[in-house]
């Protein structure tokens, strides 16, 4: 099926086509292969991929009004291609960023020099709900507060930009691997001839990272992945990763803390746990320290970590570094801690806590995206141009009432890629979430979860808002 | 392994085994609707409801009315036992519970086992009694039985036979043993309860078919079906795959490979109980005059297995770390 009806917008970067309509050189073979497939063949491919995802139940749980719904992650079989040189820039930039963020966390919960040196205003940190004073003077092996980071990257014009850092319990890596499986099954010959870098080693890389974080270098540590349970939206991923890294999949109720040592309840009695890859939010982790009403956590786990008897990855309190306001200061952190300029730029951002930014935001609401700093997953935000006047007025009221809770960004015309939509090729906006692992060394698997805004014209890629995914092919050479 | 995971695997095994037993009974029942007399259909339904210890919707199943009535009634009963979400014993509920337990412990079973179970569950979810009834209900139940047997086969050959496998297997075997004892007692009680005192060979033939034992019976004995001989075969024959005695023997092997667990009081009690059950089946059964009474004892013992397993491995009191 050809691309004759594919509508290019020259003002928006297309991942496959040059503005003039010619395929980009690195996407030429993909383009030609797709063009040679009949619409029947494409429908068969899509049907097969959907059936596999459904039978294997590769899902994301979405909470509606009534109850939790296990929803299959929609997958588009057409890969997005990233050249080796683009990946080189991206991975260097990501590594640099995660290094600075780790330095920042080590500093902010320790001497807090970045504040005393006047780089970041103190109220920025102290008023951030994700700043956990309980974590002061906490130590992580190798200063690795963030062991697993999922960074959202968009391409604007011909440049990658960081949309946000996810430093708490980022998810999506299991879909990266599922999407790869789907793409290989759909376009096997093309895959072979395209010299794509593998991503399946992610589990091994994660395991190696977690083992490096073993408390006091204890050899052969017992790993556990801590999940809030089967009703969590990312439960599929928790299960998947537990299997990949050979960890027990534990819930809070499986853990017992005695004398500042964490044990899990097994069929052979209590067994010590050394490293916990926790996929449960800070709030629920330990009712003795954070939310007292949490039934999902394990009492005493923070104390055990503080005593150096167990490592929590990621460390509690990392959320202060991915706060949507603190984000503005990441380039300053890179300069401050590493003495370098940021390789990957941020998106222009207005902090409504600053009077001039607030005024600008309220005056230009129709052209801006405004987000609540404490929310994630596409919740609590407004896309000015897509909202009605009433919605904007309503939102403006909330911004005026608590300006510090909001940030604003110009609507990004981030890139689009061809997707198979009801049997036709149509452009859809896409972002990129690569995963960075950080233990004794930094590891980045050459790939990412590419999120797709499936509705025509939509800019919302979040899985919780009905977004889908597609595979990302990082080429071995240009 | 983690106690909670072990418990989920155990329940996964139990629910799927229960769904399989039920599907086999319903498969026979739907076959009997084609050509068997009303009395036999009636007997079959009563046996099923006694087996799951549930009152049929609308109270007692009546043996009266014309053929049309029996068929209409059968539709409602089959629906109740197959798709009724509020009936915890329905095939659907067993599948849903089995799948839920599998979801909790999906990292402990092979992807092949999960996909088999999930695909089967998704197919079941898309059907209803009217659509099944319109074509061939027998084939519908047969497919489910095949799915569950495929599940068992895949588990056998794709899972590493460590504790994960043992707990899954333990669940299946405990359910199989309990189910066999309960079904035999339901057969006897239904026969006693029916107003006619005469013995109906075909009711016992159908019981043999539930256990895949009709041909074996014909081969080992004669074609004359006698209740005592049927019971001998189903209770104590060590070569019949799903006999009570064989299931208890296999439970013993699984427990031996798991070990007695962290709570030795229950662990040892469990081992003794398995020994006692084996002895009742292998040594007392052949000479026993009061077989029904012995069968009730065995059935009680099989129920007790569950509580001891739970206490020995899953819900044990926490002592100080080893």
């Amino acid at each position: 099926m050809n691309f004759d009806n594919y509508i290019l917008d020259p003002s928006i970067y297309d991942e496959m086509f040059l503005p003039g309509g010619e395929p980009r050189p690195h996407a030429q073979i993909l383009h030609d292969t797709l063009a040679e497939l009949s619409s029947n063949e494409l429908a068969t491919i899509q049907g097969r991929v959907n059936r596999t995802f459904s039978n294997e139940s590769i899902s994301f749980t979405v909470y509606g009004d009534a109850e939790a719904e296990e929803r299959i992650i929609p997958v588009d079989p057409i890969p997005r291609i990233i050249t080796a040189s683009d990946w080189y820039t991206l991975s260097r930039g990501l590594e640099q960023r995660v290094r600075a963020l780790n330095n920042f966390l080590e500093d902010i919960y320790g001497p807090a020099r970045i504040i005393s040196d006047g780089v970041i205003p103190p109220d920025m940190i102290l008023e951030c709900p994700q700043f956990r004073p309980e974590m002061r003077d906490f130590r992580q092996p190798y200063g690795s507060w963030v062991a697993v980071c999922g960074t959202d990257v968009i391409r604007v014009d011909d440049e990658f930009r960081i949309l946000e850092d996810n430093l708490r319990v980022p998810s999506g890596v299991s879909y990266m691997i599922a999407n790869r499986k789907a793409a290989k099954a759909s376009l096997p010959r093309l895959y072979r001839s395209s010299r794509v870098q593998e991503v399946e080693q992610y589990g091994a890389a994660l395991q190696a990272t977690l083992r490096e974080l073993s408390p006091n270098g204890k050899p052969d540590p017992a790993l556990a992945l801590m999940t809030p349970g089967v009703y969590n939206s990312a439960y599929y991923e928790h299960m998947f990763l537990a299997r990949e890294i050979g960890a027990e999949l534990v819930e809070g109720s499986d853990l017992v803390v005695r004398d500042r040592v964490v044990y899990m309840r097994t069929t052979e009695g209590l067994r010590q746990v050394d490293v916990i890859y926790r996929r449960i939010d800070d709030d629920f982790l330990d009712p003795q320290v954070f939310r007292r009403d949490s039934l999902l956590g394990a009492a005493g786990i923070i104390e055990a970590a503080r005593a150096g008897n167990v490592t929590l990855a990621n460390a509690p309190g990392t959320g202060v570094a991915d706060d949507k306001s603190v984000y503005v200061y990441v380039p300053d952190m890179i300069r401050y801690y590493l003495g370098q300029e940021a390789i990957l730029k941020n998106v222009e951002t207005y902090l409504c806590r600053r009077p001039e930014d607030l005024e600008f935001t309220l005056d230009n609401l129709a052209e801006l995206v405004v987000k609540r700093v404490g929310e994630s997953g596409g919740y609590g935000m407004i896309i000015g141009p897509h909202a009605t006047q009433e919605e904007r007025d309503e939102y403006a009221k909330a911004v005026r009432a608590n300006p510090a809770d909001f940030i604003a960004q110009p609507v990004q015309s981030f890139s689009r890629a061809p997707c198979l939509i009801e049997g036709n090729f149509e452009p859809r906006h896409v972002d990129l979430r690569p995963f960075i692992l950080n233990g004794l060394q930094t590891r980045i698997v050459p790939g990412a979860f590419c999120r797709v805004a499936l509705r025509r014209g939509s800019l919302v890629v979040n899985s919780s808002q009905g977004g889908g995914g597609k595979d990302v092919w990082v080429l071995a050479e240009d | 392994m983690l106690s909670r995971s072990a418990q989920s695997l155990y329940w996964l095994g139990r629910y799927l085994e229960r769904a399989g037993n039920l599907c086999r009974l319903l498969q026979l029942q739907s076959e009997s609707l084609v050509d068997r007399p009303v009395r036999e259909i009636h007997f079959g339904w009563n046996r099923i409801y006694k087996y799951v210890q549930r009152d049929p919707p609308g109270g007692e199943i009546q043996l009266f009315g014309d053929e049309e009535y029996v068929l209409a009634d059968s539709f409602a009963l089959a629906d109740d036992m197959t798709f009724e979400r509020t009936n915890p014993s329905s095939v659907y509920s067993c599948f849903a519970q089995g799948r839920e337990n599998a979801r909790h412990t999906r990292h402990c079973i092979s992807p092949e086992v999960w996909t088999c179970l999930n695909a089967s569950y998704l197919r079941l979810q898309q059907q209803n009694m009217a659509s099944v009834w319109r074509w061939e209900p027998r084939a519908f139940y047969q497919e489910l039985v095949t799915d569950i047997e495929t599940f068992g086969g895949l588990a056998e050959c794709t899972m590493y036979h460590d504790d994960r496998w043992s707990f899954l297997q333990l669940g299946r075997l405990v359910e199989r043993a309990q189910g066999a004892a309960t079904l035999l007692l339901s057969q006897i009680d239904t026969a006693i309860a029916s107003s006619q005192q005469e013995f109906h060979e075909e009711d016992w033939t159908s019981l043999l078919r539930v256990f895949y034992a009709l041909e074996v019976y014909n081969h080992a004995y004669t074609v004359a079906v006698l209740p005592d001989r049927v019971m001998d075969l189903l209770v104590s024959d060590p070569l019949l795959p799903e006999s009570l005695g064989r299931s208890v023997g296999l439970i013993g092997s699984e427990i031996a490979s798991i070990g007695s667990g962290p709570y030795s009081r229950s662990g040892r009690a469990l081992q003794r109980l398995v020994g006692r059950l084996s002895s009742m089946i292998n040594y007392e059964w052949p000479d026993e005059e009061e077989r029904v009474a012995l069968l009730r004892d065995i059935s009680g013992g099989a129920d007790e297995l569950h509580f001891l397993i739970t206490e020995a491995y899953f819900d044990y009191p926490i002592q100080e770390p080893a």
Side-chain angles (χ1 to χ4, degrees):
Chain A
M1 198 171 63
N2 59 39
F3 282 82
D4 289 353
N5 297 321
Y6 188 82
I7 300 163
L8 271 178
D9 178 342
S11 71
I12 302 175
Y13 186 97
D14 191 281
E15 296 287 338
M16 182 179 278
F17 293 100
L18 293 161
E22 287 300 303
R24 295 180 186 278
H26 65 261
Q28 182 77 51
I29 309 173
L30 171 63
H31 169 271
D32 295 350
T33 307
L34 292 171
E36 275 170 21
L37 290 169
S38 70
S39 54
N40 265 344
E41 285 168 319
L42 285 166
T44 307
I45 287 174
Q46 181 76 68
R48 226 185 275 151
V49 166
N50 290 349
R51 208 161 43 248
T52 307
F53 268 50
S54 168
N55 282 346
E56 292 183 21
S57 198
I58 297 169
S59 59
F60 186 87
T61 309
V62 180
Y63 290 87
D65 297 332
E67 52 182 18
E69 184 196 340
E70 233 183 299
R71 200 179 288 169
I72 301 303
I73 287 269
V75 53
D76 180 75
I78 305 173
R80 168 181 175 181
I81 295 181
I82 295 199
T83 61
S85 61
D86 273 352
W87 181 255
Y88 177 72
T89 310
L90 251 179
S91 55
R92 272 177 57 241
L94 293 167
E95 191 175 339
Q96 177 195 53
R97 198 169 171 98
V98 172
R99 200 142 35 97
L101 287 164
N102 265 310
N103 287 342
F104 169 70
L105 286 159
E106 184 89 341
D107 182 24
I108 208 79
Y109 288 110
R113 275 192 287 268
I114 196 164
I115 294 179
S116 51
D117 286 344
V119 179
I120 294 183
D123 57 332
M124 199 82 207
I125 304 302
L126 296 172
E127 286 171 20
C128 172
Q130 297 302 325
F131 177 67
R132 310 284 181 181
E134 300 89 343
M135 301 313 292
R136 280 209 174 102
D137 301 323
F138 190 81
R139 311 288 307 166
Q140 275 294 92
Y142 309 112
S144 175
W145 286 66
V146 179
V148 182
C149 170
T151 301
D152 292 340
V153 184
I154 53 176
R155 197 203 292 260
V156 182
D157 302 326
D158 203 0
E159 199 174 52
F160 289 112
R161 281 171 188 260
I162 305 290
L163 195 58
E164 66 181 38
D165 306 285
N166 295 285
L167 309 176
R168 295 175 235 179
V169 286
S171 65
V173 77
S174 58
Y175 309 129
M176 165 180 90
I177 293 169
N179 291 343
R180 172 57 54 90
K181 225 171 114 182
K184 275 187 187 175
S186 303
L187 302 163
R189 278 185 298 280
L190 177 66
Y191 184 85
R192 180 146 200 107
S193 57
S194 296
R195 302 177 59 85
V196 182
Q197 298 197 54
E198 295 291 335
V199 294
E200 282 89 343
Q201 69 278 26
Y202 180 81
L206 175 61
Q207 191 195 51
T209 301
L210 295 172
R211 289 172 67 99
E212 284 169 4
L213 299 178
S214 180
N216 307 312
K218 182 179 175 183
D220 205 17
L223 308 181
L225 192 154
M226 186 174 179
T227 172
V230 72
Y231 299 109
N232 184 267
S233 54
Y235 180 76
Y236 164 77
E237 176 154 308
H238 304 166
M239 178 284 301
F240 174 84
L241 290 176
R243 178 158 52 207
E244 287 279 303
I245 65 176
E248 290 289 355
L249 182 59
V250 302
E251 296 178 13
S253 59
D254 299 317
L255 299 177
V256 180
V257 183
R258 290 281 159 88
D259 299 330
R260 300 193 289 177
V261 174
V262 183
Y263 299 91
M264 56 187 166
R265 200 188 169 96
T266 76
T267 55
E268 291 156 344
L270 299 182
R271 286 286 171 273
Q272 189 174 346
V273 186
D274 302 306
V275 180
I276 298 178
Y277 176 31
R278 53 100 181 195
R279 293 291 301 257
I280 174 172
D281 288 335
D282 288 358
D283 273 340
F284 301 101
L285 196 53
D286 185 342
Q288 278 179 5
V289 180
F290 302 120
R291 269 176 64 165
R292 310 211 171 265
D293 60 341
S294 169
L295 301 173
L296 304 172
I301 201 171
I302 299 287
E303 219 192 319
R306 193 177 272 286
N309 292 329
V310 71
T311 302
L312 298 173
N314 294 347
T318 51
V320 66
D322 71 11
D323 178 271
K324 288 182 171 63
S325 305
V326 174
Y327 159 86
V328 174
Y329 293 91
V330 177
D332 299 322
M333 291 177 202
I334 294 173
R335 221 170 286 124
Y336 180 75
Y337 294 115
L338 310 178
Q340 300 169 354
E341 284 306 305
I343 297 168
L344 300 168
K345 285 189 195 138
N346 271 10
V347 167
E348 193 181 351
T349 301
Y350 304 95
L351 291 175
C352 296
R353 59 167 58 235
R354 298 175 178 155
E356 65 278 16
D357 284 8
L358 172 65
E359 198 184 327
F360 178 85
T361 301
L362 293 172
D363 289 348
N364 295 284
L365 209 51
E367 280 84 50
L368 296 171
V369 180
V370 189
K371 298 174 180 172
R372 267 184 195 277
V373 291
E375 297 275 359
S376 60
Y379 295 104
M381 62 184 256
I382 188 168
I383 300 178
H386 296 179
T388 63
Q389 188 59 45
E390 288 85 52
E391 286 168 335
R392 286 196 295 262
D393 292 346
E394 195 63 28
Y395 206 86
K397 258 191 246 166
V399 175
R400 236 177 248 118
N402 290 303
D405 285 356
F406 295 89
I407 55 121
Q409 294 166 334
V411 175
Q412 300 295 322
S413 72
F414 57 94
S415 67
R416 302 193 302 187
C419 296
L420 190 58
I421 308 281
E422 286 162 14
N424 297 304
F425 295 128
E426 290 188 26
R428 289 291 183 268
H429 288 286
V430 288
D431 84 344
L432 200 65
R433 179 179 286 183
F435 293 85
I436 305 99
L437 298 168
N438 186 66
L440 174 57
Q441 54 171 295
T442 304
R443 299 174 172 90
I444 307 180
V445 167
F449 176 35
C450 172
R451 300 186 297 175
V452 182
L454 284 173
R455 266 183 307 123
R456 179 178 297 163
S458 168
L459 295 167
V460 182
V461 295
N462 304 74
S463 308
S464 51
Q465 312 280 323
K470 60 160 68 212
D471 194 20
V472 176
W473 288 7
V474 175
L475 303 182
E477 55 201 54
D478 285 353
Chain B
M1 68 178 300
L2 202 65
S3 288
R4 189 174 45 78
S5 303
Q7 190 167 25
S8 292
L9 287 168
Y10 170 82
W11 275 114
L12 164 61
R14 286 203 67 158
Y15 276 115
L16 278 207
E17 184 72 18
R18 195 178 299 178
N21 291 345
L22 210 53
C23 287
R24 260 144 68 182
L25 284 162
L26 288 164
Q27 184 192 338
L28 284 174
Q29 196 62 7
S30 51
E31 275 177 43
S32 71
L33 292 176
V34 179
D35 60 354
R36 305 306 301 167
V38 169
R39 188 212 60 79
E40 201 178 318
I41 295 169
H42 179 254
F43 182 92
W45 282 122
N46 274 315
R47 183 170 61 191
I48 289 175
Y49 276 90
K50 277 216 166 59
Y51 168 66
V52 298
Q53 292 162 14
R54 175 180 166 86
D55 288 331
E60 213 174 314
I61 303 165
Q62 300 291 342
L63 178 57
F64 61 73
D66 54 18
E67 298 252 323
E68 288 291 321
Y69 181 82
V70 172
L71 288 179
D73 226 16
S74 288
F75 175 87
L77 296 173
D79 192 19
D80 179 54
M81 283 314 307
T82 308
F83 290 104
E84 183 52 55
R85 305 307 204 240
T86 63
N87 173 5
S89 306
S90 70
V91 174
Y92 179 84
S93 297
C94 289
F95 256 93
Q97 287 294 322
R99 179 179 179 275
E100 193 58 22
N101 278 286
R103 255 184 91 199
H104 276 95
T105 188
R106 195 174 152 182
H107 60 298
C108 297
I109 55 179
S110 68
E112 291 78 10
V113 167
W114 164 260
T115 305
C116 166
L117 167 60
N118 191 49
S120 178
Y121 168 77
L122 294 176
R123 278 197 298 278
L124 181 63
Q125 214 180 22
Q126 283 158 8
Q127 304 194 61
N128 60 47
M129 205 63 226
S131 66
V132 168
W133 212 250
R134 187 171 313 141
W135 302 106
E136 205 192 354
R138 192 204 62 81
F140 164 76
Y141 292 115
Q142 170 69 58
E143 264 173 42
L144 286 175
V145 169
T146 306
D147 283 351
I148 293 167
E149 282 164 356
T150 306
F151 167 88
L154 280 172
E156 164 92 38
C157 61
T158 62
M159 279 176 69
Y160 190 58
H161 286 209
D162 58 2
D163 282 358
R164 299 166 175 204
W165 156 259
S166 290
F167 279 106
L168 174 67
Q169 191 66 355
L170 196 55
R172 296 174 71 200
L173 292 165
V174 166
E175 184 65 33
R176 192 176 295 166
Q178 275 188 16
T182 309
L183 188 57
L184 281 168
L185 287 170
S186 309
Q187 173 88 10
I188 293 162
D189 292 343
T190 307
I192 293 169
S194 57
S195 47
Q196 306 124 315
Q197 289 304 310
E198 67 208 274
F199 149 72
H200 293 282
E201 190 176 311
E202 58 276 12
D203 297 338
W204 292 86
T205 307
S206 72
L207 184 67
L208 283 169
R209 291 183 58 204
V210 178
F211 285 85
Y212 299 113
L214 181 58
E215 284 178 20
V216 175
Y217 183 92
N218 290 345
H219 183 73
Y221 300 99
T222 63
V223 287
V225 174
L226 298 172
D228 259 353
R229 285 186 185 165
V230 172
M231 299 233 286
D232 273 344
L233 184 68
L234 302 186
V235 171
S236 65
D237 191 305
L239 300 183
L240 185 73
E242 304 207 351
S243 78
L244 199 44
R246 190 174 153 84
S247 299
V248 169
L250 292 171
I251 289 170
S253 318
E254 293 303 343
I255 287 173
S257 69
I258 294 168
S260 59
Y263 187 47
S264 52
R265 205 180 68 183
S266 303
R268 283 199 298 269
L270 179 61
Q271 286 166 341
R272 285 197 303 275
L273 177 60
V274 174
R276 211 160 49 243
L277 283 169
S278 295
S279 145
M280 286 197 258
I281 292 165
N282 297 323
Y283 304 123
E284 291 178 42
W285 180 266
D287 305 322
E288 182 60 50
E289 299 277 316
E290 292 294 327
R291 290 190 149 183
V292 176
L294 181 58
L295 190 57
R296 283 190 208 287
D297 286 349
I298 295 173
S299 174
D303 290 347
E304 181 67 17
L305 282 174
H306 169 77
F307 298 105
L308 288 175
I309 287 169
T310 304
E311 204 173 61
Y313 304 114
F314 313 144
D315 271 338
Y316 54 86
I318 293 200
Q319 294 150 333
E320 290 310 303

